[in-house]
Structure formats: C-alpha cells, structure tokens
Amino acid sequence: MKLGLNGLGRIGKLTLWNQLSRQYFSEIVVNLGRNVGGGLEDIAAAIEKDSTYGRLSMYLHGFKGGRVIENLDEQKGTMTINGIPVTFLRKARNPKDIEWKANQVRLVVDSTGVFKDPTADPNEGRGSARGHLLAGAEKVMVSAPFKIQAKGLDMPEDAVTTVMGINDDDYDPSRHNIISAASCTTTCLSYMIKPLLDHFGASRMLSASMVTVHAATGSQEVLDRLPAAGASDLRKNRSILNNIILTTTGAAKALGLVIPEMKGIGFIAESVRIPTSSGSLIVLVLNLQDELENPIKRGLLNSIYEEYSKTSPFLVFSKEQNVSSDIIGMPRAAVVIESTEIHTRTAAIKVNLQNLKNFKCETGGTPPILEVPLTQAVIYGWYDNELGSYTNMLAELTVSVAERMV
C-alpha cells in the first residue's frame, strides 16, 4: 500500500522519517503544494538534516549509516529514501485537488495542522480534511485534535478521535473515514490517566488539573512582531527564544473523546511554552476520595504505573532522575513516568452540608459537617512532543488503520 502525506512541517517531516524506518508502506507520496527552494535537491537536504534530531541517516542506521537519499529525478519529482520510492507533488494546496487517485493513494496523513474541522465543506475556502476523500483517498489521518468551528454541530458519524493503545478499538473501519490522532499532550495525558482510572475507577476521581510545560512550536515567533488583526492570544507574537509564554491547550476536551469517563470529572488544563526545541512535561494533579486508615501513597501509584508498563509498550516507567533532553528521540514512549517525583498528601476535607443545594437544616440546629478523606497526588510525565512520542504514536495508529483496509 502507498501512504499519502500532506504537509512537510515538523510532524510531516518526522512522520516521513518514522515511516521510512518502519518500511511498512511500499511507496510514499508527499504533497507539498508548492515549489521548495531550487528544486528536489533542496527538498532532499531539508529531509536529511534536522536541528533537533540530527541526520536522517543517523536516525535510520546509526553513526555508520551512509547516504540514504538517492535517485533524484527533478522532472518526475521522485527520489528513493532508505530504499523506498518517494514522490513529491508540488501543485495543489486544497486537499480536494491533490492527485491522490492518480497516484493510487488510499490512505493519507494530513499533518498540516490546518484542516481540523471534520464538518467543514471541502469546496469552500482553503478546503478541509474531507477534501482528501473527494481526491480519491479512502481514509484520512489528522495529526491534530478535531476542532468544529460552527456552533451547534455534532461530530460527524464518519469521524473519530483515537490514541493508539488507549481507545483505538473505537475505530470502526466500516464507518470511520476521518481519524484524529489527538495531540501530543492528549496522547501523553491519556497514558498518565488510564492506569489510575483502571485501578481506582472514575467514581473516586473527584477533580483533576494539569499543566504542560511545552517546547516551542511553529505557531510561535522567533522575534517579537505585531499580532494579526483580531488576534486574541498576543503572547504567541512574543519571542520564544527568551520567554516563558502562557498559552492554552485543548487537552482536557480532547481527553474526553479518548477516555469518555473523564467527561464527568472536573478537569482543567493549562499550557506554558518554554524556549526548547522539543521535550515536554505534564504536571498532573489528581484529587482522589480516600480513607484515612490506609491512604494512597506514592508507592501504590508507582506500582500501578510499573505494572502497566509491563503490558503497554508505550508507557515507560523510569526510576532515574530525568531532564527534558533525556526524552528527546526516546522511541515508542507516549509518556515517561518520573517515578522519583510522584507525591501524595492525604487529609480530611470538611464540607458544610448546609451550603449544598437542596439541603435543609433544622432552624437553630448545628450545621452538619461532613468529613471526606481526600488524597492529592502529583504525577510528572515526560514526552517528546515531536518524534519520540507523538509522531511514533501517530505512525502506530496509521499502520493499524492500514492493516484493516481491504
């Protein structure tokens, strides 16, 4: 089967790297939608070198690896990379106009980050992810969380959000044609939540919050510049080189699509961008209903994660003291649990029942007080938001979808 890839930004380029290493697809067709530099030689140079992860040849074959990009044909727009034929399309930017059918591409990964609305009309504006289907593809993987722009519209029946190893069984090949692989943060977060949810159950999770300390992304500016007209997030126009920048994340909302039980739990998610090129961290805080006699301790939480890591190839349980650069390029790790920094505190929370809605107290009586044992747990999870975690998980899901196509 051939794989189509729309876009060659950070996720697109590293998806190409990952799939070239897997050797699952016989050919890869990359849509750029425009000319690049002086031609195919410049495209090859951009693919071979990376400021964060080094050279493609090193990634594929180690320090002994030689040249892996060969047989460049400018006229045909083709080259061979690690033995796999790769074709580059440089004409259409609107998904409905891309020559997927002519190139016999049935499965497309859209890594542009532009076409996130599964309800958008493919014939209007810049197009939509659904346009890939009009162009001949049968399935479309979107490397970002879905975001429906129009108010009141529900998720289409043929669209689904999945994270490999968490809810990929939700994908129905007979019904779903547009599949979101969520985001790097949602992927990491789902692997931090799922083991605890399986152990304690949703009823004991009273509330949760998280902050992702996130590496810079392409949506930020290298140097300060004026914001566009109508822009609301003015901080993204400040230099990422020398600032810690507050921003937002849709991880909490997307988590509810991946783990529906979380929809009934109060959850808040925040994001802070920092001046690093990759390697991010989630600080997760959970409030669990507990008991004072035998409260939840860090040892129990660590044992839950350690046991989960024995059956899941995507959760890494670390007993080391890591920093962000240790995570960069770590293969197959949706999350690296920093076990040395898990902390818990247990106390009885006093609740005045008189303040609760519809509770009636006798006049002159003493306001009833309810004591609820509560354990607050703080958990740290590392993730390589580009190659090691997200791109790898996206590739796992892509291959899984391909295997179920007939």
Side-chain angles (χ1 to χ4, degrees), residues 349-362 366-372:
I349 307 300
K350 296 182 178 180
V351 180
N352 188 334
L353 297 182
Q354 193 173 12
N355 295 331
L356 299 182
K357 186 178 181 181
N358 298 325
F359 183 85
K360 295 181 180 180
C361 179
E362 294 182 5
T366 303
I369 302 296
L370 177 66
E371 292 192 2
V372 181

Side-chain angles (χ1 to χ4, degrees), residues 54-125:
R55 288 183 173 269
L56 174 60
S57 55
M58 288 278 287
Y59 170 73
L60 293 172
H61 303 299
F63 71 94
K64 292 184 178 180
R67 182 174 174 82
V68 294
I69 301 180
E70 302 171 306
N71 305 323
L72 277 68
D73 189 321
E74 181 67 43
Q75 186 175 359
K76 293 181 180 179
T78 60
M79 64 180 73
T80 303
I81 312 179
N82 201 34
I84 296 177
V86 182
T87 300
F88 294 88
L89 307 179
R90 292 173 277 185
K91 295 180 180 179
R93 296 185 73 84
N94 191 313
K96 70 180 179 63
D97 299 324
I98 301 171
E99 297 178 339
W100 297 132
K101 186 174 183 179
N103 285 277
Q104 301 177 334
V105 171
R106 300 169 57 203
L107 174 61
V108 171
V109 175
D110 191 299
S111 64
T112 62
V114 174
F115 307 110
K116 296 181 287 188
D117 187 347
T119 68
D121 189 335
N123 294 303
E124 293 186 0

Side-chain angles (χ1 to χ4, degrees), residues 74-257:
E74 181 67 43
Q75 186 175 359
K76 293 181 180 179
T78 60
M79 64 180 73
T80 303
I81 312 179
N82 201 34
I84 296 177
V86 182
T87 300
F88 294 88
L89 307 179
R90 292 173 277 185
K91 295 180 180 179
R93 296 185 73 84
N94 191 313
K96 70 180 179 63
D97 299 324
I98 301 171
E99 297 178 339
W100 297 132
K101 186 174 183 179
N103 285 277
Q104 301 177 334
V105 171
R106 300 169 57 203
L107 174 61
V108 171
V109 175
D110 191 299
S111 64
T112 62
V114 174
F115 307 110
K116 296 181 287 188
D117 187 347
T119 68
D121 189 335
N123 294 303
E124 293 186 0
R126 292 183 294 176
S128 75
R130 197 168 294 280
H132 294 297
L133 304 177
L134 294 181
E138 298 172 23
K139 305 288 182 183
V140 181
M141 313 289 300
V142 178
S143 68
F146 287 138
K147 188 174 183 179
I148 297 176
Q149 297 293 338
K151 293 183 178 180
L153 290 184
D154 294 327
M155 190 67 65
E157 289 294 321
D158 65 345
V160 65
T161 299
T162 65
V163 170
M164 190 66 187
I166 298 292
N167 73 320
D168 48 296
D169 287 343
D170 289 351
Y171 166 67
D172 181 351
S174 66
R175 183 162 61 98
H176 297 130
N177 299 321
I178 306 177
I179 305 104
S180 165
S183 69
C184 54
T185 301
T186 303
T187 298
C188 175
L189 179 61
S190 64
Y191 272 91
M192 296 177 74
I193 288 285
K194 189 65 164 61
L196 301 182
L197 197 62
D198 289 348
H199 183 87
F200 295 111
S203 62
R204 290 186 65 181
M205 287 192 181
L206 304 182
S207 66
S209 65
M210 61 142 280
V211 173
T212 173
V213 183
H214 200 289
T217 71
S219 66
Q220 296 178 267
E221 299 294 342
V222 176
L223 299 174
D224 287 2
R225 66 179 297 174
L226 286 173
S232 58
D233 188 351
L234 305 183
R235 296 186 182 99
K236 279 191 177 180
N237 290 87
R238 302 299 300 277
S239 168
I240 188 55
L241 293 177
N242 48 12
N243 285 303
I244 295 173
I245 298 176
L246 304 181
T247 185
T248 58
T249 175
K253 185 176 181 180
L255 184 67
L257 298 176

Side-chain angles (χ1 to χ4, degrees), residues 26 78 128 137 173 244 287 308 310 318 355:
S26 60
T78 60
S128 75
I244 295 173
N287 289 307
Y308 197 90
K310 295 176 182 178
S318 175
N355 295 331

